[in-house]
Amino acid sequence: MSVPANGYMAWRERKAITFKSAIPLAVLMVVGLIPGIFFLKMGPDWLLRAVFGLAIVGMALQMAFKQTVSQEKKNNTATLALTGFVSGILAGIFGVGALVAVYFSKTTNNKQQFRSNTCFVFLFENIFRVVLYWATGILNRHIFLVTVALLPAVIIGMALGRTADKHVDEVKMKHAVIALLLLSGTMLFIRSIFHR
């Protein structure tokens, strides 16, 4: 689902991509996909949902409490490597690499840079993930048809997101996203633990 959306956004904002950090993150995400997909195939359903809930809460807290990082930390190889690999694991399991978005929210200078870098990394990872999902049998004909049926919703969501991006205050939008992440992550964790 994300391939056409990220492809479009990465192409549209291609001049703002900083390849020095985007390419290593994309490669590290692909490396992290392998253990993530293995866990997706082998892990119990309730545990996957619980871990995902905790991951969402963790990302929300990271967004809420960490400010923009210094130039020295922007170039920190260990942070970049850890972010890419852990994001790859989460993407392999859940199809979500939001740690990369959090990383770029701290290290880019403006919204255009944030958007272009995030979409480029996600596009790269999405393509590899589709191939690996197909090869391991996670992506099958039924899932493919469901995805095609949901495509209009993705297009509508992208259009609404672009409209909101132009008209909603950036700080208010960030606070709303954090609140929704905290709520949804907590609810998912609680439901997974008590409704196995």
Side-chain angles (χ1 to χ4, degrees):
M1 235 4 177
S2 303
V3 172
N6 285 318
Y8 168 74
M9 291 300 292
W11 177 257
R12 199 186 78 171
E13 306 285 353
R14 62 192 178 279
K15 291 180 182 174
I17 297 171
T18 46
F19 292 102
K20 187 178 177 182
S21 55
I23 289 176
L25 267 176
V27 171
L28 285 159
M29 277 194 81
V30 170
V31 172
L33 280 176
I34 298 165
I37 290 173
F38 177 78
F39 189 60
L40 176 63
K41 289 277 287 182
M42 308 305 273
D45 226 18
W46 70 269
L47 182 59
L48 292 173
R49 287 193 306 270
V51 170
F52 189 41
L54 287 177
I56 291 171
V57 170
M59 286 181 272
L61 294 173
Q62 174 81 357
M63 288 173 69
F65 295 116
K66 289 234 177 170
Q67 300 303 314
T68 303
V69 299
S70 65
Q71 188 63 40
E72 183 183 334
K73 287 187 179 176
K74 283 183 184 183
N75 299 323
N76 187 323
T77 307
T79 302
L80 186 135
L82 187 62
T83 300
F85 185 69
V86 174
S87 290
I89 292 172
L90 290 173
I93 300 171
F94 308 115
V96 174
L99 281 179
V100 166
V102 173
Y103 175 83
F104 280 129
S105 75
K106 311 290 178 214
T107 59
T108 51
N109 300 321
N110 53 54
K111 272 200 294 190
Q112 188 182 17
Q113 256 191 357
F114 167 76
R115 216 177 2 241
S116 62
N117 283 295
T118 304
C119 289
F120 172 81
V121 171
F122 285 167
L123 174 65
F124 192 87
E125 174 272 324
N126 289 163
I127 291 168
F128 277 90
R129 184 155 44 91
V130 167
V131 171
L132 290 171
Y133 276 0
W134 194 272
T136 55
I138 293 170
L139 180 60
N140 52 39
R141 185 173 180 272
H142 172 72
I143 299 297
F144 180 77
L145 292 174
V146 169
T147 302
V148 170
L150 291 172
L151 201 53
V154 171
I155 294 167
I156 292 167
M158 280 182 66
L160 291 173
R162 285 185 65 194
T163 303
D165 187 47
K166 291 175 185 173
H167 301 292
V168 178
D169 176 67
E170 203 170 330
V171 175
K172 287 180 183 174
M173 180 68 83
K174 182 181 175 183
H175 290 155
V177 168
I178 290 168
L180 286 171
L181 286 173
L182 282 170
L183 181 63
S184 60
T186 303
M187 293 303 297
L188 181 58
F189 177 75
I190 291 169
R191 286 182 60 200
S192 302
I193 294 298
F194 293 105
H195 299 283
R196 299 186 193 182

